[in-house]
Amino acid sequence: MSARVIEVALTVNGEPVRESVEARKTLVDFLREDLGLTGSHVGCEHGVCGACTVRVDGVIVRGCLMLAVQCDGARVETIEGVSDAGEIADLQEAFHRRNALQCGYCTPGMLLTAQELLKHGGVPSREEIRTHLSGNYCRCTGYHAIVDAVEAVARARRGGER
Ligand code: FES
Ligand code: FES
């Protein structure tokens, strides 16, 4: 039996995209395999690890739990687009400076999830940062440096010291 193919039209990182996609293909596989946007990673493939995090219409989602066809008409943003726009340059710099990444596999998802927390402004407590990031797994860093980096950026954005 041949796979059902559906045409979708969406924007990805501000660019219009029109593609024929298998109905069963996940959003993260579509982004990686069809569009070559490999910054979104595939870990658990069942919504646990957060490696596949992307934004759809401004809200972070698990790219492995959403089908590409569900994004017809949507605005999708990946780590490539958000990074190129400079939106998270301070977070990226803080992750680098504080060794908040090692292998980097979790990092795109961590950055997008952290940005979702910080875009509302204010300085969350370390507990709030940990809770917000609790759906993103990191096998390398032990999380302390990640929390340090996110906290530092929150303070810096508020105008305090790093
Ligand atoms: S790959 Fe999607 S949550 Fe793990
Ligand atoms: S830096 Fe390796 S999984 Fe987080």
Side-chain angles (χ1 to χ4, degrees), residues 107-149:
T107 309
M110 283 288 183
L111 289 167
L112 289 177
T113 304
Q115 173 63 1
E116 179 163 88
L117 176 65
L118 298 187
K119 74 183 181 188
H120 300 299
V123 179
S125 69
R126 292 181 69 84
E127 199 52 44
E128 287 169 332
I129 294 169
R130 284 187 178 278
T131 298
H132 190 80
L133 296 177
S134 63
N136 291 71
Y137 289 6
C138 178
R139 295 176 298 176
C140 306
T141 65
Y143 300 98
H144 288 290
I146 293 173
V147 176
D148 288 347

Side-chain angles (χ1 to χ4, degrees), residues 3-10 18-25 30 34 67-72:
R4 187 167 170 226
V5 172
I6 295 173
E7 184 159 311
V8 294
L10 61 159
R18 184 178 291 274
E19 291 278 343
S20 295
V21 60
E22 274 185 44
R24 60 185 289 175
K25 192 163 219 173
F30 172 67
D34 296 30
L67 297 172
V69 295
Q70 290 177 286
C71 294
D72 189 35

Side-chain angles (χ1 to χ4, degrees), residues 28 41-53 61-65 105 135:
V28 69
H41 293 152
V42 180
C44 66
E45 295 186 87
H46 60 269
V48 175
C49 74
C52 62
T53 301
V61 302
R62 304 290 207 211
C64 71
L65 292 185
Y105 204 82

Side-chain angles (χ1 to χ4, degrees), residues 88-105:
I88 55 168
D90 51 358
L91 269 171
Q92 291 170 304
E93 200 268 330
F95 269 55
H96 180 252
R97 186 159 37 84
R98 291 170 180 268
N99 295 320
L101 69 154
Q102 290 176 28
C103 79
Y105 204 82

